[in-house]
Amino acid sequence: MRITMLAGGVGGAKFAKGVRALLRSPQFQRDHPDSALTIVTNVGDDMWLSGLKVCPDLDSIMYALADVNDTTRGWGRQDESERVSAEMGAYGVGWPWFTLGDLDLGTHIARTGLLRDGLTLSAVTAQLCSRWELGARLLPSSDDDVETWVELEPGYDEPEAVHFEEWWVRLRARVPARRFIQRGVDSAQPGAGVVEAIADADVVILAPSNPVVSVGTILGYPGAGGRAGVPGIPGVAEAVRETPAPVVGVSPIIESNPLRGMARQCLEALGQECSAEAVGLAYGSRRSGGLLDGWLVDDADAAALPSLRQTGLSARSAPLWMTDAETSRQLAADTLDFAAHC
Amino acid sequence: MRITMLAGGVGGAKFAKGVRALLRSPQFQRDHPDSALTIVTNVGDDMWLSGLKVCPDLDSIMYALADVNDTTRGWGRQDESERVSAEMGAYGVGWPWFTLGDLDLGTHIARTGLLRDGLTLSAVTAQLCSRWELGARLLPSSDDDVETWVELEPGYDEPEAVHFEEWWVRLRARVPARRFIQRGVDSAQPGAGVVEAIADADVVILAPSNPVVSVGTILGYPGAGGRAGVPGIPGVAEAVRETPAPVVGVSPIIESNPLRGMARQCLEALGQECSAEAVGLAYGSRRSGGLLDGWLVDDADAAALPSLRQTGLSARSAPLWMTDAETSRQLAADTLDFAAHC
């Protein structure tokens, strides 16, 4: 079974580990002997910092699948140190709001060197990932630089616009976003293999990642009430609309609370409501030009199932909290079972 | 007293510390209340490695004057670690023959980031140096990329040409050099302030650095016996020839042995003899179109003084071995005294 997932960083990584655990289970291997997981990963968080290409989402997933991520902090590498960034700070260089560990910098320097040698981000990602036994293939949603920037509401003594990571990490999303801008998106193309991975999949899954700045920066997300949406990488949403595979999404929101992160602030910037129902409706049913065949919500949101189904979507509820490896694996199983019945 | 020195890395650093110690001594400060040391530094060893701009000579001098250099290994920072480069190696990236420590990488990333922001190497160097109390101003000999490459003699199962650092560090200069090529030198200009620092100096000193690949890549060094020389940065030798200040050089060779490094192999590649006398003669007297007013050799080479003087050079002998801070300071004092009497 060829599974293609579209995902952001940490939330996507957790779900991806669940899918991988399922794929590695003896029963699944018996039932689906040639299974493979492909993860199309958001690149909107990527940035150039001090001449280095930093890819937070790609790295979060790579580190998590390699089991070298720091689960306590929730980001970066285990057993990390910060000797290099301390030096940079002493020179008056760097990003005090975005600490990079030494091991993490090894990734960024390796990536940057290969990019400067002329490799594409896909090719570089493949080389970096080949170090580990990830059990999944990571594909950047684009090989082009497509950075998510945040136009801030005025009156907060902040710049007119900051990179999404600065808004997220330094400002903790406390300065309201007026809108998101995907710099470079107009001329961007889907990353190598992305369209094929969606077209040739047996199932396509939208991971429970931030619907605006993770999945939205891949597939687009509409604005409402006169607010701008985000466009997504041209060609990827089309591939999702046209794939013969069932397309199911897992809600990143439970009882109007994001599973993690600040999806509420992101959705508000688009004039959108923060609920499992609203996000499912915004993605929409493929039967009426949307992206989904099925939308999986938490059992706590089961009341939303009828109105979701009214739009032509399949909808089902399941426990969505991924509190450990087993609940992540179970959610992966529930998602694939749901997809088989959409 | 404005002292301008032209220097390579480690040898230049040792001598520079001697000059700085002299300038800081109460008696010298009494006699010369407004003294300043400017060091025009070789950039030929600079290279781009994995997208990072590495400047070995600038860093050797900066670290030494900041008293943070590793005096045991003879290069890099004290208390160094190599976590980042181990990561890079695990990704199949990097330069196994050229280990970069974590603290050292902090410098390279800071430098590269500022260069990518559009600053010149001079401006970047000034920012990096402002972290410390160096007691000297470091000027890159050029703001342009001018890399010294080594065309190797064939028959050694090596590439046709390698960067000088690779020849020096990986090959230990054991594969003979056919010639040195300063890539980019034709269109290079003197670094910001270099010509002025030479023109406005009260004394110009050629440090006891490698005459071919350190001082030679700044000022040029002639070939002999049909071998090519090195051209130097256009305009710098002219500034030395025209400055009203006395120009004295300190021999990097004692009794036909380089003070350190592999000057013999470098000189041989140019068809030149490795002796204090031969290097003094190759630099030549300013009276006859050369670069020097005076040439300081070791007491062990005093026999060469008459033939040096025959060419119009002032020549003197003194103890040149810099075995500790005091001998370095004494050599600086001897050099300035010599310059005052040229």
Side-chain angles (χ1 to χ4, degrees), chain A residues 66-213:
Chain A
D67 293 316
V68 297
N69 59 316
D70 185 321
T71 51
T72 308
R73 291 187 306 181
W75 51 273
R77 292 282 301 270
Q78 290 163 15
D79 304 319
E80 190 53 289
S81 51
E82 289 165 13
R83 282 166 66 79
V84 177
S85 55
E87 284 299 301
M88 296 173 63
Y91 287 121
V93 170
W95 40 86
W97 51 271
F98 194 80
T99 303
L100 288 180
D102 297 327
L103 303 179
D104 202 23
L105 273 167
T107 306
H108 306 316
I109 300 173
R111 171 188 294 121
T112 306
L114 293 168
L115 287 172
R116 302 267 185 217
D117 287 345
L119 272 68
T120 61
L121 184 60
S122 314
V124 173
T125 302
Q127 175 165 343
L128 297 182
C129 289
S130 72
R131 170 181 174 184
W132 325 91
E133 292 286 346
L134 298 189
R137 185 170 61 129
L138 264 62
L139 299 182
S141 57
S142 179
D143 284 325
D144 302 310
D145 281 0
V146 185
E147 295 187 357
T148 303
W149 282 66
V150 186
E151 254 187 43
L152 301 177
E153 290 290 351
Y156 289 85
D157 200 23
E158 292 289 346
E160 200 171 312
V162 295
H163 188 282
F164 172 73
E165 283 287 337
E166 187 168 356
W167 183 67
W168 196 256
V169 177
R170 180 171 74 79
L171 299 176
R172 310 302 302 165
R174 285 188 192 123
V175 175
R178 174 182 270 184
R179 67 170 177 143
F180 298 101
I181 300 171
Q182 286 175 275
R183 291 193 181 172
V185 74
D186 290 343
S187 57
Q189 300 198 336
V194 166
V195 168
E196 295 77 1
I198 294 167
D200 300 340
D202 296 309
V203 57
V204 174
I205 303 173
L206 275 51
S209 299
N210 187 305
V212 177
V213 292

Side-chain angles (χ1 to χ4, degrees), chain A residues 12 19 34 54 63-65 78 80 151 153 183 210 230-231 235 238 253 286 303 326:
Chain A
V19 176
D34 284 320
V54 179
Y63 294 157
L65 290 176
Q78 290 163 15
E80 190 53 289
E151 254 187 43
E153 290 290 351
R183 291 193 181 172
N210 187 305
V230 289
E238 289 72 6
I253 294 163
R286 290 214 290 174
E326 175 49 27

Side-chain angles (χ1 to χ4, degrees), chain B residues 46-113:
Chain B
D46 296 2
M47 53 190 163
W48 288 95
L49 286 177
S50 287
L52 296 175
K53 176 79 164 179
V54 179
C55 300
D57 282 1
L58 282 165
D59 290 346
S60 288
I61 295 179
M62 179 172 75
Y63 294 158
L65 290 176
D67 293 316
V68 298
N69 59 315
D70 186 321
T71 51
T72 309
R73 291 186 306 182
W75 52 272
R77 291 282 300 270
Q78 291 162 15
D79 305 318
E80 190 53 291
S81 52
E82 289 165 11
R83 281 165 68 79
V84 178
S85 57
E87 284 298 301
M88 297 174 62
Y91 287 121
V93 170
W95 40 84
W97 52 270
F98 195 79
T99 305
L100 287 180
D102 297 328
L103 303 180
D104 202 24
L105 273 166
T107 305
H108 306 317
I109 300 172
R111 171 188 295 121
T112 305

Side-chain angles (χ1 to χ4, degrees), chain B residues 1-13:
Chain B
M1 179 183 281
R2 292 158 298 181
I3 301 168
T4 296
M5 179 192 311
L6 284 68
V10 179

